[in-house]
Amino acid sequence: MIKGGFIGFGRMGITHYSILNSHPSVNITAVCDQSKTMLGIIKRDFGVAIYTDYQQMIEESDLDFVVISTPSDSHAEIIKHALDQNLHIFVEKPFALTPQEGLETLTHLRNKNLVTQVGYVNRFNEVFMEVKKLLA
């Protein structure tokens, strides 16, 4: 069983949670979000630890991976911290906001045997796939 945490629990966080929470080998144990309303619902209905500080969540939760679906300008900082804690990562697009920020973030991944994936959901959308094929 692998243990996961979610950083950001808006529309995409909830979407990824619903997919991963049904996997028999995944146990979602922690969620971090800034919305007190959302955290109240999570605490009441989901049975996971809740946090408003992602660093505290990572420190206290003994996780194997995190799903990052926060606002785009926070992705690089959170990714670097998670990599420094040897966590596997799934992050919503974009990975970083600038090429320089992306290169700096990738430096944190060097020499680590960790999975890092960026969610490009439209790449797998049938409509976008057909348009790409027609354009080619």
Side-chain angles (χ1 to χ4, degrees):
M1 183 73 65
I2 58 173
K3 293 188 284 185
F6 279 73
I7 304 170
F9 211 69
R11 184 175 61 89
M12 292 310 297
I14 292 168
T15 299
H16 294 305
Y17 179 90
S18 66
I19 294 165
L20 284 170
N21 193 47
S22 66
H23 194 288
S25 298
V26 174
N27 184 19
I28 307 302
T29 60
V31 172
C32 177
D33 198 85
Q34 297 300 307
S35 168
K36 292 186 189 285
T37 301
M38 182 58 76
L39 290 177
I41 293 167
I42 295 165
K43 184 176 184 178
R44 184 188 71 214
D45 297 336
F46 289 51
V48 300
I50 58 169
Y51 297 88
T52 56
D53 181 317
Y54 74 88
Q55 292 177 342
Q56 182 183 7
M57 181 189 84
I58 288 171
E59 181 181 313
E60 294 178 1
S61 298
D62 188 33
L63 301 171
D64 298 305
F65 73 92
V66 291
V67 174
I68 302 167
S69 52
T70 57
S72 300
D73 63 347
S74 65
H75 289 181
E77 173 188 323
I78 298 170
I79 291 167
K80 287 185 250 184
H81 182 76
L83 290 173
D84 287 343
Q85 305 307 311
N86 294 313
L87 294 175
H88 301 282
I89 296 168
F90 178 91
V91 62
E92 269 305 313
K93 66 180 181 331
F95 180 74
L97 293 182
T98 67
Q100 179 64 31
E101 187 178 61
L103 290 172
E104 290 170 6
T105 305
L106 286 173
T107 299
H108 276 74
L109 186 57
R110 219 171 263 144
N111 301 318
K112 293 185 186 284
N113 188 24
L114 295 170
V115 174
T116 303
Q117 181 177 350
V118 180
Y120 290 102
V121 66
N122 287 337
R123 182 175 287 171
F124 305 102
N125 180 305
E126 290 181 15
V127 172
F128 284 84
M129 292 167 64
E130 184 63 26
V131 168
K132 182 178 179 184
K133 189 167 75 173
L134 292 170
L135 289 171

